[in-house]
């Protein structure tokens, strides 16, 4: 087990190097440090010295790929690509254009992101399973037919509409919750309620339909027929056997997304002004703060890889037939 | 010539794609694929939805023939499409600001200077809408009803004629109800008549009214929504066109050749797919913007620039989303390679390319069809989200994403301006729903396992 | 399942009962406090006074830092008055031989000038850990290790604070900082030409910086006490002198800007510690000032809170104002000790919808007006604007003022076609100026929130003319004292005379093509705006080609002089005509000299007049010269004179003493809030509607009920059947 995990982590290293290379190409070759400096210093009386000073103080004045002037190993280490890659690997994101330490900001913003993402995930999971069970239980009835069509319809609505309409109805017309904003601690519930509802409703279409297929797959299996023949009620069969076995793909599907919960949701956080990592990314995109966008791309990749490793491990835990090699 | 054709990049690619579509339809197909399609056409749902999708495709085609008019010996700088001509003068009928659907007065009170130097605030009559005397409140309703009926008659008769002509030439019996397990022509024709008539009524009414109102700068919303169709459809289709070659070539190569080729390809797609998709798209689009603005001399025309951006967006979406299809194709190829007949061909020394072309690719087509059908709707939806994030199509391009992005601010108004948002919603929803339902049938047809679970 | 619904209902109703207004975004405990609620849309980049320039930054900085001077809150035209100084600065002029000369002496005789500034004794800094000392008199927090700051996440986590008296040294130290490469002040480029020795200081400091190790560089700190320059002298504890090259009367305006606010060295030493920088505790986020407020919470991701500075000396509310201020109630608190509000809460609000909705719900005390909700708030037209009856009923009031800002469409005078000084080229520009209907632009895109410009000077600036002289005769006709735009015939005639009959360029036989560069942010409105602009040029037969690029690219093209026309704005730094006319000074060309003259305008006669005008006092003679300069500009038409935007501000009924004065940024201290009335109104405006919950629940129950019944029947039947089978 331990050896397997170590191997998986080692295997992740070349992938992370690849991710880094991609981001480096995008942010330092296509968009040069000089471009960044000019964007950043775009004030009225900017001098040429100020631009150079900015590049220097951010450590962007090094050669990009190869330092011909340095000696020995320094030819490679004294380059932008090496220092930038090294810093990313050590999760040292450096400072943003606004001069703030990105690492610290990320730490501060994880809390609000999770405050929305975790309830959204849990309630979403519960709702999806519940609806899927309902549809499976009443399969081949009008509820199943209309329910599935309704799910497809829900899937066909852009997530923007859910947010816009939710904010409009619950925030503006009914005045149940503040339209946007965030306070820490337990008062956060008031601000988190609406984004969570929106995210649950927006996800129920595809989620419930997917879980229904998983459940039906189980229900159609032979052992269910056997169980049914033994005289178990359809309710018992569904809950005791079908659900239990369908939970394996459901839960492993969830494990993948758990690490990425830290990244928050771009749309929800931005619409409801929740100061999490999602809105951090959106703001950075809009103000063209490349240092932040790059860090978030990298962080996202790291978390995704962690998710994959966790999934593999959880497979072995729930299903003894899968062995780690 | 009073006009000169303009070929935008996306136009060329779209027509190329249409050509490919026709070729694929006409081309002889392996038996299992033919069977699957037969299954599709036997579904009423598929026949109905395919008509709706075709309607959107038709709009896109009309909007993908561009030209510049000649005025006084020079070509005007703005580029028009056939759809513009068809809808004209809707693009020119610009009011000052908001007006509700079918309204004949402006939505917002404007200042009217009185002769004796005072100012009153009142709604003003719209410029491009028929006015009715104020003492006859019902006159307008009767007029709308009358025009609806006229449109209805026109639409019905025209669509019926078209149907009958088509049925006659293709020898399709539409009068008899179709039996199950045959191609559902009847459903198709009924849907066609309904859609056509509906559009005819809207089109006819739009000659006299702003049937979906006007937006903040007084632009007709009906016109905007129809123009937005092209953007949505192009993103859904061109992206697939970009992604297919990548996924097909790399996927089959990885699965067929295995060894280091497989390792390299696997490494590439694992790396790419480990970056969250949205972030990768955002990063690429941001960088692309820099490239475009670095070369203003190449992209100096607004239409050209907007077009390049749309194309670039399709390419970026394609490049970032080929990985999942590639993975599926690789796995399937690995499986196929072990089949007896493939092994036999290898033993006989058939060249690799020939073998892939003859035995592997045709047996992968079902995966391709399912993916293409499923991806289409998610891409149309993605466009709106990207527009909100600020990395979507050019802000000057008509698109549902841009419409929603502007219209969401209108909900904060009192009274609410709902029509832009609703129009974008309805048109987008119809397309995505139809595509989703169609994709469902396609999936059932090509994946027998899915058929059982329905 | 039913239990779940009931439970959910219970939770919701609990939520509802706990709070009468469940949509209140603030803690309930704050309801009755003297807090001013405001929103900010852009996270300010720096709160370091040497760097903050834009209004989103100065809105915070100027509540906390105090430069020597300030603008009078109420008086117009804009008037400088004392802030921390005892009296206005003394200005002395000297010739080459260090002999004092009179203020009216010719400019060529003045070699340098001296500003002698004396501050009031006894002004204290806000409580801050940087000043905290132990019993031995050593600073407590100046050498911190990572261990020391365990548990410290923000500035207020430090237990001890201290304070100290403000001295002249602090002011001098700050001026030196302007030259430091670790600060990168935006006005260094301007100030090095005036303050004697500043440029040399910068060279020295750059060298020092380059010799530092990367670790030292990361701290961004150089002890400036080791560097004295000729232009800055501390006379005594409360007096300092600034020496400037030549004569620069506008310097007094800079003394009211944050760049010249005092900076205690203790704070710089304190903030130059890596453990703090890693925690984002820096001078840019936690200012140290002497002003009425101090920053107590700075979370630029969420909200920024300023509280009353307990050490503030107290300042009386102005006793004088304009005549109409009395009726507006702006003098009700005259002579009272400021500040009035205990706490100012700025909440981050990036989107317009929530900000506007919350303002209408009473959760913000004042609000600007975005064009998206403009016509909801304002009835505009016929050159007037007033509140809509709905808002008036809520007790909301409207305040407005023309901004000291020019927005304009400029020509590049270096261009062969649209630039140049020949009569023909002049006429082409004039024709475009006439065809380009700025009034319509203001009506369509600004909801009338702007004043068509007749020249570079907006109203409120010395030299701005009203009446006949205030009308640009090349674009407008004077109709009974009102400026009426000339007709298109006139523009077409000018086009003909310029050599482009009907817009046809004889060189090509086709229509003239003009390129316009604009910086684009991808605003959805842009499409309509660009179409409108093309229409204007189309009127006289010109094809306008708009090239929209981002700001960087736009600037780069300007610097290379590779443009024909462009759209830009200029926000005045201080209310003096020099700050506008220097945009046309030939020595200031953007492409050739890298200056601010983006049109690269260079007219020798204008340059001569400019050099005479710039250092004059506001005399009738100066006014005459300004009129002459304006006439030259109007005739040459290097800009399509655009418009001066108007700022509109809405305030709630319970807010008092708000006066829009764009030169005054530190306005928080004047404002008073009636929190009782606010609490009442908020309650009245925010009653929640709960019946939809019941509807939703009922709907689901109705949907499920028949199924449950049918299931029961089925199970029941199958059991019976099973029994029968046996």
């Amino acid at each position: 087990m331990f050896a397997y995990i170590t191997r998986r982590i080692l295997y992740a290293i070349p992938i992370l190097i690849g991710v880094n290379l991609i981001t480096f190409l995008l942010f330092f070759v296509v968009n040069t440090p000089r471009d960044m400096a000019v964007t950043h210093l775009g004030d009225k009386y900017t001098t040429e010295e100020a631009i150079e000073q900015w590049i220097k103080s951010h450590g962007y004045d090094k050669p990009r790929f190869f330092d011909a002037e340095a000696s020995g190993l320094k030819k490679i280490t004294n380059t932008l690509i090496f220092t930038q890659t090294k810093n990313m690997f050590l999760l040292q994101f450096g400072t943003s254009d606004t001069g703030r330490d990105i690492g610290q900001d990320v730490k501060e913003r994880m809390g609000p992101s999770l405050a929305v993402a975790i309830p959204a995930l849990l309630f979403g999971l519960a709702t999806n399973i519940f609806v899927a069970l309902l549809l499976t239980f009443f399969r081949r009835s009008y509820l199943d037919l209309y329910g599935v069509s309704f799910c497809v319809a829900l899937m066909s609505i852009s997530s923007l509409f859910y947010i816009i309409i939710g904010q409009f109805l619950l925030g503006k017309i009914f005045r149940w919750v503040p339209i946007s904003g965030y306070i820490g601690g337990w008062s956060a519930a008031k601000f988190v309620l609406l984004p969570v509802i929106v995210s649950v409703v927006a996800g129920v279409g595809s989620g419930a339909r997917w879980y229904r297929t998983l459940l039906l797959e189980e229900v159609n299996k032979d052992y269910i027929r056997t169980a049914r023949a033994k005289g178990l009620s359809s309710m018992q069969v569904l809950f005791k056997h079908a659900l239990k076995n369908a939970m394996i793909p459901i839960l492993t599907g969830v494990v993948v997304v758990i690490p990425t919960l830290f990244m928050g949701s771009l749309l929800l956080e931005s619409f409801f002004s929740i100061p999490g990592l999602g809105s951090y990314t959106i703001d950075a995109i809009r103000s063209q703060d490349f240092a932040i966008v790059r860090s978030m791309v990298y962080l996202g990749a790291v978390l995704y890889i962690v998710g994959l490793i966790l999934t593999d491990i959880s497979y072995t835990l729930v299903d003894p037939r899968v062995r780690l090699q | 010539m009073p006009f000169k054709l303009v070929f935008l990049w996306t136009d060329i690619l779209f027509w190329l794609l249409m050509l490919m579509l026709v070729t694929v339809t006409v081309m002889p197909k392996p038996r299992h694929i033919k069977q699957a399609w037969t299954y599709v056409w036997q579904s009423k749902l598929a026949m109905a939805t395919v008509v709706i999708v075709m309607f959107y495709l038709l709009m896109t085609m009309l909007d993908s023939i561009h030209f510049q008019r000649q005025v006084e010996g020079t070509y005007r700088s703005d580029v028009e499409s056939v759809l513009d001509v068809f809808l004209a003068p809707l693009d020119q009928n610009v009011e000052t600001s908001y007006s509700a659907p079918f309204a004949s007065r402006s939505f917002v009170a404007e200042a009217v200077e009185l002769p004796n130097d005072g100012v009153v605030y009142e709604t003003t009559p719209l410029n491009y809408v028929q006015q009715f005397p104020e003492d006859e409140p019902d006159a307008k309703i009767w007029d709308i009803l009358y025009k609806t009926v006229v449109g209805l008659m026109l639409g019905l008769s025209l669509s019926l004629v078209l149907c009958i002509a088509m049925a006659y030439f293709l020898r399709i019996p539409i009068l008899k109800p179709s039996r199950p397990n045959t191609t559902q022509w009847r459903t198709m024709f009924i849907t066609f008549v309904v859609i056509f008539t509906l559009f005819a009524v809207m089109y006819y009414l739009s000659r006299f009214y702003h049937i979906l109102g006007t937006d903040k700068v007084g632009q007709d919303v009906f016109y905007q929504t129809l123009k937005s169709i092209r953007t949505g459809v192009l993103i859904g289709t061109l992206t697939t066109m970009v992604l297919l070659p990548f996924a097909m070539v790399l996927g089959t190569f990885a699965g067929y050749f295995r060894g280091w080729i497989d390792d390299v390809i696997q490494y590439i797609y694992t790396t790419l797919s480990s970056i969250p998709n949205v972030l990768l798209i955002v990063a690429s689009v941001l960088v692309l913007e820099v490239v475009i603005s670095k070369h203003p001399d190449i992209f100096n025309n607004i239409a050209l620039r907007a077009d390049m951006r749309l194309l670039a967006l399709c390419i970026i979406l394609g490049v970032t989303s080929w990985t999942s299809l590639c993975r599926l194709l690789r796995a399937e190829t690995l499986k196929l390679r072990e089949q007896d007949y493939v092994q036999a061909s290898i033993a006989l020394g058939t060249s690799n390319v020939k073998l892939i072309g003859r035995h592997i690719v045709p047996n992968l087509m079902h995966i391709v069809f399912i993916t293409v059908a499923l991806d289409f709707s998610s891409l149309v939806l993605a466009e709106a989200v990207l527009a909100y994030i600020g990395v979507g199509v050019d802000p000057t391009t008509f698109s549902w994403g841009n419409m929603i992005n502007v219209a969401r601010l209108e909900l904060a108004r009192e009274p609410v301006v709902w029509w832009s948002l609703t129009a974008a919603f309805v048109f987008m929803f119809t397309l995505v729903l139809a595509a989703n339902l169609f994709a469902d049938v396609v999936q059932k047809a090509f994946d027998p396992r899915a058929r059982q679970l329905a | 399942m039913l239990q779940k619904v009931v439970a959910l209902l219970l939770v919701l109703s609990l939520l509802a009962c706990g709070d009468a207004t469940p949509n209140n975004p603030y803690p309930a405990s704050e309801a009755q406090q003297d807090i001013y609620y405001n929103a900010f849309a852009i996270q300010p980049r720096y709160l370091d006074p040497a760097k903050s320039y834009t209004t989103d930054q100065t809105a915070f900085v100027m509540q906390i830092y105090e430069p020597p001077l300030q603008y009078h809150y109420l008086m117009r035209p804009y008037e400088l008055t004392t802030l921390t100084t005892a009296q206005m600065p003394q200005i002395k002029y000297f010739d080459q031989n260090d002999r004092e000369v009179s203020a009216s002496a010719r400019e060529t005789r003045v070699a340098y000038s001296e500003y002698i500034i004396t501050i009031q004794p006894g002004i204290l800094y806000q409580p801050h850990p940087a000043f905290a000392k132990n019993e031995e008199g050593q600073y407590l927090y100046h050498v911190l290790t990572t261990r020391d700051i365990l548990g410290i996440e923000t500035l207020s986590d430090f237990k001890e604070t201290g304070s100290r008296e403000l001295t002249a040294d602090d002011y001098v130290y700050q001026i030196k900082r302007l030259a430091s490469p670790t600060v990168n002040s935006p006005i260094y480029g301007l100030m090095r030409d005036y303050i004697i020795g500043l440029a040399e200081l910068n060279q020295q400091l750059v060298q020092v910086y380059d010799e530092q190790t990367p670790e030292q560089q990361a701290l961004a700190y150089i002890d400036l006490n080791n560097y004295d320059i000729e232009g800055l002298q501390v006379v005594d504890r409360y007096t300092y002198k600034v020496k400037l090259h030549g004569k620069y009367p506008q310097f007094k305006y800079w003394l009211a800007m944050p760049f010249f606010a005092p900076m205690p060295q203790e704070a710089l030493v304190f903030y130059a510690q890596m453990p703090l920088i890693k925690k984002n505790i820096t001078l840019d986020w936690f200012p140290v000032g002497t002003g009425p407020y101090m920053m107590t919470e700075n979370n630029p991701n969420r909200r920024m809170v300023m509280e009353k500075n307990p050490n503030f000396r107290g300042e009386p509310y102005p006793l004088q104002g304009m005549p109409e201020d009395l009726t507006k109630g702006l003098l009700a608190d005259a002579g009272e000790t400021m500040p009035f509000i205990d706490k100012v809460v700025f909440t981050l609000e990036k989107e317009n919808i929530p900000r506007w909705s919350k303002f209408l719900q009473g959760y913000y005390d004042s609000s600007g007006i975005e064009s998206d909700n403009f016509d909801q708030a304002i009835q505009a037209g016929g050159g007037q604007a007033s509140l809509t009856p709905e808002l008036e009923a809520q007790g909301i009031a409207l305040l407005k003022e023309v901004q000291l800002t020019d927005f304009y469409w400029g020509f590049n005078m270096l261009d062969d076609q649209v630039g140049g000084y020949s009569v023909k080229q002049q006429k082409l520009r004039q024709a475009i100026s006439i065809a380009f209907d700025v009034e319509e632009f203001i009506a369509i895109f600004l909801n009338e929130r702007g004043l068509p410009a007749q020249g570079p000077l907006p109203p409120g600036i010395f030299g701005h003319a009203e009446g006949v002289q205030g009308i640009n005769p090349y674009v407008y006709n004077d109709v009974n004292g009102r400026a009426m735009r000339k007709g298109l015939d006139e523009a077409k005639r000018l086009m003909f005379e310029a050599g482009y009959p009907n817009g046809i360029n004889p060189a090509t036989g086709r229509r003239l093509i003009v390129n316009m560069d604009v910086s684009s942010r991808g605003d959805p409105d842009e499409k309509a705006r660009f179409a409108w602009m093309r229409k204007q040029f189309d009127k006289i037969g010109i094809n306008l080609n708009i090239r929209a690029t981002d700001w960087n690219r736009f600037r780069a093209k300007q610097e290379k002089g590779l443009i024909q026309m462009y759209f830009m704005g200029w926000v005045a730094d201080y209310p003096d005509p020099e700050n506008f006319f220097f945009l046309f000074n030939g020595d200031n060309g953007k492409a050739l000299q890298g200056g601010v003259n983006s049109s690269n305008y260079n007219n020798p006669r204008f340059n001569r007049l400019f050099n005479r005008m710039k250092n004059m006092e506001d005399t009738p003679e100066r006014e005459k010269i300004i009129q002459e300069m304006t006439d030259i500009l109007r005739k040459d038409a290097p800009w399509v004179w655009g418009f001066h935007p108007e700022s509109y501000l809405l305030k709630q009924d319970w807010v008092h003493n708000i006066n829009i004065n764009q030169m005054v940024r530190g306005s928080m201290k004047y404002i008073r809030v009636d929190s009782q009335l606010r609490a009442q109104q908020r309650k009245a405006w925010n009653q929640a509607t709960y019946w939809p919950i019941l509807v939703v629940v009922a709907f689901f129950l109705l949907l499920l009920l028949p199924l449950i019944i049918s299931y029961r029947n089925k199970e029941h039947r199958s059991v019976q059947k099973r029994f029968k089978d046996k």
Side-chain angles (χ1 to χ4, degrees), chain B residues 121 293 305 396 408 413-414, chain C residues 351 375-376 527 548 553:
Chain B
Y121 294 98
S293 53
R305 200 174 61 123
T396 59
R408 73 198 164 85
R413 301 173 58 93
E414 197 71 52
Chain C
E351 295 270 340
D375 49 68
Q376 248 186 290
K527 195 183 166 93
R553 246 33 79 175

Side-chain angles (χ1 to χ4, degrees), chain A residues 156-194:
Chain A
S156 308
I157 297 173
S158 167
S159 48
L160 288 175
F161 280 109
Y162 289 108
I163 301 178
I164 294 171
I165 300 300
Q167 208 171 28
F168 176 68
L169 281 182
L170 273 60
K172 194 180 168 211
I173 303 290
F174 301 148
R175 294 188 281 261
W176 292 351
V177 286
I179 290 172
S180 66
Y182 188 80
I183 309 183
W186 284 108
S187 329
K190 186 153 81 167
F191 295 93
V192 165
L193 183 68
L194 183 52

